[in-house]
Every structure is written in structure tokens, then in C-alpha cells.
Amino acid sequence: AYTAYFMSPQLRKWVKPGIEIMAALPTVILGFLAGLWFAPWMEENLAGLFMMILIIPPGLVVFAWGWHKLHVSDRLNLPEGWEPLLLVPALLGLGAVAMWVADPVQGAMFGGDLREWLSNEAGISYDQRNAMVVGCAMGFAVIPTIFSIAEDAVFGVPQTLSQGSLALGATPWQTMVFVILPTASPGIFSALMIGLGRAVGETMIVLMATGNTPVMDWNLFEGMRTLAANIAVEMPESEVNSSHYRILFLAGLVLFLFTFVVNTGAELIRQRLREKYSSL
């Protein structure tokens, strides 16, 4: 929403194509990087990753609050719509702070090694290729697609709606929340459902980054195997017309029924949203 409505057109010409190029990356490459680079890095820097999760979101909120409190003349030194560039040094700085405090926190609270503490003290086993690795890689694969479609939906809202809202005295943020987003909600919902469908049917990232553990539990630090990955791994080994062969076809039928039900429900909801907000 920010990219389509508030960002400078010159900056948007660089940001949107860059994210769309991310969506075009082959999932084989993402799975390769997740399994051979990101998984070992996360194993070695598990405490730093958790400190990033704890520090970066509130740090960005504090940074935005400080920017808002600056004097107007100081803020006008940066052209309107170019504010996202300030997030780059903020993110890098907060990430560096998180990695810097990770070792002291790990030494004070977890005996110097968070992974060993999870295994020995908390009783939580840790596999190098686990569900968290898959989640991060899958987010990198799915989020650009959702962003691109949702941004097009917001950008496609007629300017007459926003101009009319502003003319009646609404602020830009009120116009965004109460006019732009409801009008674009069918497209945004479609983007979410397309992203969900790609995540459910994804095979290569799961195959290369999870360890393909057939027995799963709720532990995020252990491997997993999805239905699609299970079919891809075991189908070449199954004997034709055997019980194993039929079970794999049953798994494919379950996957098809799940996606069919979810997509049908999503289409019904999208039609209701379009009918509801078509009068705006």
C-alpha cells in the first residue's frame, strides 16, 4: 500500500521491478541457498537470529517515532516519498546491534550456546535443516508475488476516489485506510490466496531445505515433509499397483481437494468483497 500510494514515483520505478525480479527466481536456487548456506548460518547464529526478531521490529517503531518527532524543516531536507531509503541504514544498524548483543545474552542466559541449551536443558532437539529454514526460504519465494499483485490492486484504484476523499477533508492515511484499502481488498485477498497456493504446492524448497523427515511433530527446529514433497520423493521408488503406490495417489487427491476447497472459498470471498465495495 505504501509503495503504490505514498512512495515517490521515481523510487517506485526501482523498488517494484526489483521485488518482481525476486519473484522470478527459480525455487531450485532458493532451496539450494536455504539448504547449503542459510541452514548452517542459522545454526551458528541462532541467538543472533532471535535477537534480530526481538530488536528490529521495536527498533523500527522507535526510529519511525523519532522521525515523526523531528522538526518539519529537518524532515523537509528529504524529498517526500523517499523516506523508505532511511530504513536501509536503520535495518543494517539494528541488525548489527542484534548480532553484537547476541553473544553476551547467550552467555548470560543460555550457558554460552543456545543450541546446546535447547537440546540439554529444554529438551528440544535441533536439526540443521528444519521448519524455520523452510519458513524463511518460503517467505522469500512467496512474499514478492503477494507484494506485486497487491501493489497493482492498490495502484489500480481510481484517483478520483482518493482525490474526493482528500477534498472532503480526510488525511492521506484516513484515505488509505477507509477508501483505498477497502476498494482494493478483492485484489489484495487474491494476492494472499495465490501466495498461499504457491506455498502449499511448493516442492523444491521443501525437498532441499527440510531434511525430508517423514515423522513430524510441532517442533520448529526439526525437519518436515509436505504432501507434495512426499509424492516427489517416494513416487519413483513405489511399485506400480502396490499399497505404497495407491497411498501416494491418495496423498495427491488430498492435496488436490485441499487446494480446491481453499481456492473455491477464496473466490467466493473475493466476489463478496467486490460486490460490497463496487459502489465506492
Side-chain angles (χ1 to χ4, degrees):
Y2 184 91
T3 305
Y5 190 68
F6 294 105
M7 186 177 286
S8 169
Q10 291 79 11
L11 183 58
R12 181 178 179 270
K13 291 179 182 178
W14 291 92
V15 171
K16 192 171 188 297
I19 296 180
E20 289 176 346
I21 290 175
M22 291 169 54
L25 288 175
T27 55
V28 175
I29 302 299
L30 296 179
F32 176 81
L33 293 176
L36 298 183
W37 173 74
F38 182 69
W41 180 88
M42 192 177 79
E43 184 181 15
E44 295 176 1
N45 301 278
L46 187 60
L49 181 64
F50 278 105
M51 292 307 299
M52 286 183 184
I53 296 174
L54 294 175
I55 289 177
I56 290 180
L60 290 178
V61 173
V62 173
F63 178 80
W65 177 81
W67 174 257
H68 178 70
K69 290 298 182 180
L70 280 178
H71 195 271
V72 176
S73 60
D74 296 328
R75 284 187 289 169
L76 290 179
N77 293 330
L78 185 69
E80 184 178 359
W82 290 80
E83 292 86 356
L85 292 179
L86 296 174
L87 294 178
V88 176
L91 285 172
L92 294 176
L94 291 171
V97 170
M99 297 300 295
W100 178 69
V101 302
D103 286 338
V105 171
Q106 189 173 219
M109 300 181 63
F110 305 107
D113 192 329
L114 177 57
R115 181 185 169 185
E116 292 294 331
W117 183 88
L118 288 173
S119 300
N120 300 329
E121 301 295 333
I124 300 175
S125 59
Y126 185 93
D127 295 333
Q128 186 183 77
R129 299 185 180 185
N130 52 53
M132 285 193 65
V133 175
V134 176
C136 295
M138 198 70 73
F140 195 88
V142 170
I143 289 177
T145 302
I146 298 175
F147 168 86
S148 180
I149 300 174
E151 199 270 349
D152 287 337
V154 175
F155 191 76
V157 174
Q159 292 187 358
T160 54
L161 295 178
S162 59
Q163 292 172 354
S165 176
L166 295 172
L168 291 173
T171 65
W173 279 105
Q174 288 174 333
T175 301
M176 169 60 66
V177 173
F178 297 107
V179 177
I180 303 297
L181 289 182
T183 306
S185 59
I188 297 174
F189 186 76
S190 298
L192 293 174
M193 289 300 102
I194 291 174
L196 176 63
R198 180 178 180 184
V200 170
E202 182 55 52
T203 303
M204 293 308 301
I205 292 177
V206 180
L207 280 175
M208 302 177 72
T210 61
N212 295 316
T213 304
V215 180
M216 299 181 296
D217 57 21
W218 293 101
N219 184 6
L220 292 177
F221 301 112
E222 287 188 352
M224 56 177 289
R225 180 184 289 185
T226 63
L227 286 176
N230 188 64
I231 296 171
V233 169
E234 298 188 6
M235 183 60 76
E237 303 174 357
S238 63
E239 181 182 353
V240 178
N241 294 326
S242 64
S243 298
H244 187 198
Y245 188 79
R246 293 187 177 93
I247 289 174
L248 291 177
F249 270 91
L250 177 61
L253 178 62
V254 170
L255 184 61
F256 168 75
L257 291 176
F258 175 78
T259 54
F260 177 79
V261 171
V262 171
N263 289 337
T264 302
E267 180 63 21
L268 293 175
I269 295 174
R270 189 183 68 85
Q271 291 293 340
R272 293 290 299 273
L273 291 173
R274 175 174 290 182
E275 292 174 1
K276 181 178 181 180
Y277 296 111
S278 61
S279 59
L280 289 178

